[in-house]
Amino acid sequence: MGFNVIGKTIMKSLFGKPATAMYPIVKNEFYPNTRGRIENDITLCNYCGLCGRRCPAGAIEVSKPEKKWEIDRTRCIVCNFCVQVCARNALSTERHYTTPMTDKSKRITTLYGEKEEPVKEKVQENA
Ligand code: SF4
Ligand code: SF4
């Protein structure tokens, strides 16, 4: 009985399909609920900072004065919580993964919103 099971396992290992894919020759298959990476449509963001305050991994930093939104991809565990709390629907979970990196400086994605033009003061001319 035991030998039979071992024999089947050996035969399956020798002649069966490999359990792994030949990535990157064979592309990854993504499923509808795959959690790949967090993206921000910065045009919708109002820099409220809620996503950063709720992030359990401390991966997001937001600066309202600088109109800056930043995510540390090596800290993010793709729990999706920031996407759920964003009232502006600026955040989304994309199905593709972050490209593996050896350069640690590339782990942080920083986005800046458009700064408003400074309001020019009206100079009153003396008549
Ligand atoms: S919660 Fe949404 S709107 Fe607020 S800072 Fe984060 S991404 Fe921007
Ligand atoms: S998915 Fe989770 S861990 Fe990643 S930034 Fe959002 S709240 Fe933080």
Side-chain angles (χ1 to χ4, degrees):
M1 176 84 174
F3 181 76
N4 200 14
V5 173
I6 292 169
K8 269 189 191 168
T9 306
I10 291 171
M11 295 306 277
K12 199 173 159 192
S13 300
L14 285 174
F15 301 108
K17 272 176 61 178
T20 52
M22 288 284 286
Y23 183 84
I25 299 162
V26 177
K27 293 286 174 206
N28 270 344
E29 190 183 339
F30 297 113
Y31 300 97
N33 292 332
T34 296
R35 288 185 189 171
R37 58 182 261 153
I38 300 299
E39 298 292 354
N40 187 351
D41 180 350
I42 201 71
T43 59
L44 298 175
C45 178
N46 66 358
Y47 316 96
C48 66
L50 189 60
C51 52
R53 290 196 295 278
R54 295 292 174 86
C55 173
I60 296 178
E61 271 187 38
V62 183
S63 167
K64 195 162 190 140
E66 290 177 86
K67 290 197 166 186
K68 183 176 91 169
W69 184 91
E70 195 167 83
I71 184 167
D72 185 338
R73 305 249 174 231
T74 56
R75 298 189 80 159
C76 175
I77 54 172
V78 203
C79 66
N80 217 35
F81 201 35
C82 54
V83 177
Q84 290 169 16
V85 298
C86 178
R88 304 274 295 197
N89 292 323
L91 299 176
S92 58
T93 309
E94 299 302 314
R95 284 164 56 198
H96 63 274
Y97 296 110
T98 300
T99 310
M101 64 195 91
T102 51
D103 183 356
K104 278 191 173 178
S105 65
K106 289 183 182 159
R107 72 186 200 275
I108 294 173
T109 303
T110 308
L111 302 174
Y112 288 95
E114 277 186 29
K115 298 228 165 124
E116 286 150 25
E117 288 288 314
V119 180
K120 286 180 188 154
E121 283 181 33
K122 280 188 182 170
V123 180
Q124 279 192 336
E125 287 177 25
N126 290 329

